[in-house]
Amino acid sequence: MHEMSLCEGVVQLIEEQAGKQGFSRVRTVWLEIGALAGVELEAMRFSFDAVARETVAAGAHLEIIPVAGRATCPACKHTVEIEARFDACPDCGHYPLDIIAGEEMRISELEVQ
Amino acid sequence: MCTTCGCGHGETTIEGHAHDHGHTHHHGHHAHGVMAAHAPGMDPSRILRIEQDILSKNNAYAAGNRGIFAERGILALNLVSSPGSGKTTLLTRTITDLSDEAPMAVIEGDQQTVLDAERIRATGVKAIQINTGKGCHLDAHMVGHALEKLAPEDDSLLFIENVGNLVCPASFDLGEAHKVVILSVTEGEDKPLKYPDMFHAADLMLLNKVDLLPHLNFDVEQCIAYARRVNPEIKVLQVSATSGDGLQDWYGWLRSTHEAMLMNRSPELAEA
């Protein structure tokens, strides 16, 4: 359940931004979470509400933008979508693949007041 | 939660003392007082583009730890495994066997109890326990504070025994040189596929308890193949902390890795 810690990281970054950019309330938080990042999205939503309490992000709506896992195949050079880190190339069966997306854990945008 | 330096739930303790913010360690950022400083008013909402990695704070602390290790020639290893893999037994044996070779120190991570640190200290090696409370992993900030108290010697080996968990510690860089994953043959050989992130993050896999293989249906080759499927670069050593099988290979890896690190630190020595 490291999602709790990840949410603490999110709230800390938001509080820093509040100082730098002068806002006192956050209405919406957009996170980009990759399919290969090892993050349970439901646990993230659950943890966020708890961790945000009594902070500038209290009551903020959490929007999670899932980022699909994508990789290039060193054998057939195709760019393919993958669901797990160890997936083989669906076109030629080769593995390992070179992962190019899906490991993201990022705060992308905030709607603030 | 402390928003100044990133302490967890307020439950983390280092050897029985709650992490005290009265003391004067350095914080790069001071977020306290933000809410009070800015009156809410009736501002219209606006969208801010942030694009920050959620782990960026942890990663900054990890970089700080890594800088300390590099400067002082400390080889820091982050030992990760599921509970019951024999991590502490392996570590106790290792520090006993290598006690004449190099200074060593241990950071023990567990949710509760100081039992593991006591086991380590019984060998004469200095150790400090971090209790994470409900936390399921160590983070770089906890390790940074533990380092202040532990004060490992220059040119030493530092073993950081993470909380027994094959999921969460994979994401948290502590500033270590390598993650070492310990998998015992009493677990399933498919663990590397079930917990791919950890085996992907590790540079070395110690397959432990191999003395029990005659009594088990554990396919060693299949296990190694699964580990290489998630991490083609992973090095694998087969060991038994109780019988001593394979331990010389592990010690050899420790020596050569530490030597390589020290050579890198002093390029003039490497040329000599």
Side-chain angles (χ1 to χ4, degrees), chain A residues 86-100:
Chain A
F86 51 80
D87 278 355
C89 176
D91 296 341
C92 76
H94 179 89
Y95 63 84
L97 305 176
D98 298 324
I99 292 169
I100 53 173

Side-chain angles (χ1 to χ4, degrees), chain B residues 181 213 224 241 255:
Chain B
V181 63
L213 279 172
I224 295 172
R255 287 184 198 106

Side-chain angles (χ1 to χ4, degrees), chain A:
Chain A
M1 188 61 182
H2 62 304
E3 287 78 5
M4 189 70 88
S5 303
L6 295 177
C7 286
E8 287 174 349
V10 169
V11 170
Q12 285 164 20
L13 292 172
I14 291 173
E15 298 233 297
E16 272 181 27
Q17 289 292 333
K20 284 185 204 156
Q21 309 221 32
F23 57 84
S24 58
R25 184 168 170 228
V26 182
R27 296 176 67 97
T28 314
V29 178
W30 282 273
L31 302 182
E32 287 174 10
I33 305 287
L36 311 176
V39 177
E40 200 55 60
L41 300 188
E42 276 317 306
M44 203 71 190
R45 291 191 182 96
F46 171 83
S47 304
F48 181 77
D49 290 340
V51 170
R53 232 170 263 158
E54 296 176 26
T55 75
V56 69
H61 180 65
L62 185 68
E63 287 280 348
I64 297 180
I65 307 160
V67 181
R70 292 173 69 77
T72 53
C73 175
C76 73
K77 311 292 178 198
H78 290 176
T79 298
V80 297
E81 199 153 304
I82 54 171
E83 286 175 5
R85 197 178 279 290
F86 51 80
D87 278 355
C89 176
D91 296 341
C92 76
H94 179 89
Y95 63 84
L97 305 176
D98 298 324
I99 292 169
I100 53 173
E103 296 180 302
E104 299 79 356
M105 285 193 250
R106 207 162 38 214
I107 305 180
S108 68
E109 291 184 344
L110 299 177
E111 182 189 10
V112 303
Q113 281 184 313

Side-chain angles (χ1 to χ4, degrees), chain B residues 1-250:
Chain B
M1 182 185 68
C2 169
T3 53
T4 305
C5 76
C7 293
H9 312 254
E11 291 178 356
T12 301
T13 56
I14 297 180
E15 290 273 318
H17 301 291
H19 182 133
D20 174 12
H21 277 274
H23 67 104
T24 57
H25 59 256
H26 302 293
H27 291 303
H29 308 278
H30 275 273
H32 287 316
V34 163
M35 307 240 339
H38 186 80
M42 297 292 287
D43 297 349
S45 69
R46 57 194 161 111
I47 302 286
L48 300 178
R49 198 149 185 83
I50 305 292
E51 298 296 345
Q52 263 183 308
D53 193 307
I54 293 173
L55 288 171
S56 55
K57 281 192 92 89
N58 181 74
N59 293 345
Y61 286 117
N65 294 345
R66 190 165 278 118
I68 292 170
F69 298 143
E71 192 182 302
R72 298 180 45 200
I74 298 170
L75 176 65
L77 300 173
N78 181 357
L79 307 183
V80 291
S81 79
S82 45
S85 66
K87 242 181 1 272
T88 312
T89 303
L90 180 70
L91 189 51
T92 310
R93 173 90 188 238
T94 301
I95 58 183
T96 305
D97 289 353
L98 299 184
S99 58
D100 295 336
E101 289 193 34
M104 287 176 281
V106 175
I107 295 175
E108 279 290 340
D110 281 301
Q111 288 197 320
Q112 302 291 342
T113 84
V114 296
L115 295 173
D116 278 0
E118 285 166 0
R119 269 175 81 182
I120 299 295
R121 281 195 287 258
T123 68
V125 164
K126 59 182 174 181
I128 193 158
Q129 182 82 45
I130 301 176
N131 285 134
T132 57
K134 292 194 182 65
C136 48
H137 57 271
L138 295 177
D139 65 35
H141 172 256
M142 297 173 194
V143 168
H145 281 302
L147 281 175
E148 291 169 4
K149 291 198 172 185
L150 183 66
E153 288 177 48
D154 286 2
D155 299 344
S156 62
L157 298 176
L158 174 66
F159 299 98
I160 305 169
E161 187 179 338
N162 218 314
V163 179
N165 176 346
L166 278 176
V167 184
C168 310
S171 303
F172 291 82
D173 183 7
L174 306 180
E176 73 274 359
H178 303 282
K179 282 190 179 71
V180 177
V181 63
I182 296 141
L183 177 63
S184 61
V185 297
T186 50
E187 304 170 64
E189 61 252 323
D190 51 4
K191 279 269 167 81
L193 291 189
K194 288 181 172 169
Y195 302 96
D197 296 323
M198 187 61 88
F199 289 84
H200 178 75
D203 296 314
L204 174 65
M205 173 167 105
L206 296 177
L207 194 56
N208 193 22
K209 307 189 188 177
V210 291
D211 56 309
L212 298 178
L213 279 172
H215 312 287
L216 303 166
N217 289 317
F218 183 94
D219 187 336
V220 171
E221 293 314 311
Q222 185 66 72
C223 178
I224 295 172
Y226 285 149
R228 296 242 158 91
R229 176 147 184 180
V230 292
N231 181 357
E233 310 294 324
I234 198 166
K235 188 169 169 58
V236 181
L237 297 175
Q238 299 181 40
V239 299
S240 164
T242 44
S243 73
D245 290 340
L247 288 182
Q248 289 310 320
D249 297 334
W250 158 233

